[in-house]
Each structure stands twice: as C-alpha cells, then as structure tokens.
Amino acid sequence: MSDARNDNLPSLPSRRNFLRGVSLIGGAAVGGSLLAACSSKEVDNSPSGGGGGNGGSPISQKYDDAVRKIVNGRTIQIGYTVPVLSEYFNEIQGAAWRKMAEYEERFGVKWKWERSAPTANYKSVEQHVGIVQNWATRKFDAIFICTSANFATMQGVYQRAAEQGTMVIEYNMPIELYPADQLRTAATVGYHNENQSGYLAGKYIGDKLNGKGRVLALFGPAGSDYSKMRGDGLKRAFAEYPDLKLVAQADGGYVRDKGFAVAQDLLAANKDINAIYGENEDMALGASQAIDQAGLKHWDGKEGILTIGADGLVSGCEKIREGKLTASVDVGPVDNGLRLVETMFNRVVLGKNIDKVTYVGTQIIDKSNVDAPQAYLQWALDAKKY
C-alpha cells in the first residue's frame, strides 16, 4: 500500500510528523479531525469517531478484527456528484478517499467510486435527478450529493433511491434552510452558511477596517440558497458597524473568470472601495485579479483593498501568502469528506443510527494562521485516487 494511503492523520507517529511539518502555532484550529490528532488519549478508535480515524494504529485490535469480520471483504460502491468541477470539491473527494483508504487497511473494505457532475455546472440542475436515478437503478450502496436543484424535487428523488436500497447523503448544502423532518436523505453533512460563513466574513471585514468602509460583494446566481444565507450573515455582521456600507453587488457565477469580469465592472463604477467580499473563494480570487488589472493596491494591514472569500482552497492559501487574497473562511471541505465516509460506513456496514444533520467546524484563514489549514487541505488533495 502506498504512502498516500498509509499516512492518514490518526496514525500517531504520522500525526506528530504532520503537526511538526505544518508548524501549528498557538491554538490555531483546523477542524475536529486535526485537533483530535493532537493527543493519543483523545483518539476515538470507532469508525464514528474523530474525522481522522486511526490510520491503522488501533487502540483495540480486537475491535478492528471484529469489524473486519462484519465487512467480510465487502465491496462498497459510492457515487459522488458535485454541482461544479472545482478545487473545492476535489478537496472533499480527496478527504473521502483518505477515509476510504483507512477503512480498507483496518477493515478490509473494497471500494468502487464514481464521480459525475452536470455538464453546465450550476445551471443544469435537472441532470442531478438523472444522475441519482441512474446510480440507484445500478444499486449503488451510497450517493454523496451537493446540488443546486430544487429542494422539494430532490427529496422525492432521494426517497425513491432509498426505496431501491441506495443511501443518499447530502453535503455542503445550506442545511439551515431545510427542516430536518422534510429531509429524505439519510443524513446531511455541512455547515451553517449564515453563522459559520457569511457572518464570519462580515465580522472580519468590519474588524480589519475598524468599522468603516465601502464594500463590494460578488454572489452566486440569483435564487441561490447559499447566496441568500451567506448574504444574510454578511449583512447581519455589517449591521454591527454603522459606517460599513455594502455599496454594490453582482452575480459572479461561483467561478473565477466571471468573478474577475464582474469585479472589473464594479471597480470601474465604484470608487474608493475598501473591501471586496466573494461569496466563494473562486470569485474572491477573480476579484483579486481585477484589483491587479486596475492597478490598485491590495490590503497590507493598514490600507488597500481587502479581499475575502469562503471555501478553503490550497490555491487560496497560496494567494494569502502572496498578499493577493487577504483571507478566506475555511468551511471544512476536508472534514466534510471524512464525515461522509464515516457516516455512510456506520449506517451501511455497522447498521448504526446516525445523526440527520452534522455540522463541521469553520474558521477564518489569513496570514496569521495559514500554515496548518493549507497543509490539511493539501493532505486531502494528495490522496490516492479510487
């Protein structure tokens, strides 16, 4: 088995090396999985334990042996579908592969993994209906889905998949909008877009600008649930700073090139801008390019244009180091991926009752703490492919 499959965080020597390598400073947090790796006394050896698992170094070999008997060499087939092909969803996928590699080593699970996405990204939401139906008809064990499709429509699709014996888990969805009693997925893994993303970004802008400034915002397509909730959080934070004004906003399509073009237009039409908020990190990175194109100054801690996004991307971390992106809200892509596989395994293989809704931790990344989050994200991207 290759190093990529064996260096899972929970193997105690590996964890120590990992933490030394990323220069974890002070109390900087990168989510429950990494924090759980800091002490052998805190390692939860069960599949439902901390996000990192134990990477082949079990506290109880008898437990692993017992689970291996339950698995009995079983092959689990998973469908992974995304609303857009991007670095962010690659990070979630890589983290899932890390957890799968761990369970393969510990329990002898075999895996089949298939990924699919709508051909026109967020706009071809109807294709997600066909993707789920196809995988359920083919008797996949589980489907992991993030979609922009209509909530009510998809609940019927998920219900039919469950009736065919396929477990559906949503991830990275605006959980706070959906009443748990209406969910027809087995579980949902994600974060609170208003409180754990939009509000954090708004507070960061307000604090760094000392409560005064003019801000531009790039949001996703009109009608996006993510845009609504993150926008609500941003505005709630801005309400705490009477002299902080959102002067203009536009649709950046959740992609970098459109974010660049839209930010160019907004900067040309609005002078004396102090900050740009990108609802996701790709749009914020596009805005960063627009600042360069316009010959404007990036934020240096005292002056210039502050840029902040939300996702948690390795490429974003690099731009933070370069001073081209001020900050981003890391919304836990790695922990999302780990929890997806943990949740599925606990239900499908071990037959456990599972939480209907699981929130992962989020945090602001900037120059003060970029090392550990970037290493954690890169760890996911470097996973062995399935």
Side-chain angles (χ1 to χ4, degrees), residues 245-259:
K245 305 297 182 184
L246 181 59
V247 297
Q249 64 184 65
D251 175 1
Y254 289 134
V255 291
R256 201 168 304 189
D257 56 354
K258 187 173 182 181

Side-chain angles (χ1 to χ4, degrees), residues 65-106:
D65 290 344
V67 174
R68 184 176 283 268
K69 288 180 180 179
I70 295 171
V71 171
N72 194 28
R74 176 177 178 177
T75 297
I76 296 176
Q77 189 165 15
I78 297 174
Y80 175 73
T81 183
V82 303
V84 61
L85 297 174
S86 70
E87 180 182 347
Y88 176 74
F89 290 108
N90 287 344
E91 289 171 349
I92 295 176
Q93 176 178 254
W97 287 345
R98 287 285 189 178
K99 181 56 65 176
M100 289 158 58
E102 177 197 328
Y103 286 176
E104 182 174 344
E105 181 179 352
R106 289 175 66 188

Side-chain angles (χ1 to χ4, degrees), residues 268-294:
N270 298 275
K271 304 302 180 183
D272 301 319
I273 294 302
N274 305 104
I276 302 178
Y277 167 71
E279 186 204 329
N280 80 341
E281 202 160 319
D282 274 313
M283 290 188 292
L285 290 169
S288 172
Q289 293 174 329
I291 291 170
D292 284 336
Q293 186 71 24

Side-chain angles (χ1 to χ4, degrees), residues 28-43:
V30 294
S33 301
L34 184 55
L35 293 179
C38 295
S39 168
S40 61
K41 294 181 180 179
E42 295 179 359
V43 174

Side-chain angles (χ1 to χ4, degrees), residues 232-250:
D232 286 350
L234 184 78
K235 292 168 185 175
R236 180 159 61 85
F238 279 15
E240 299 175 16
Y241 305 94
D243 294 324
L244 197 61
K245 305 297 182 184
L246 181 59
V247 297
Q249 64 184 65

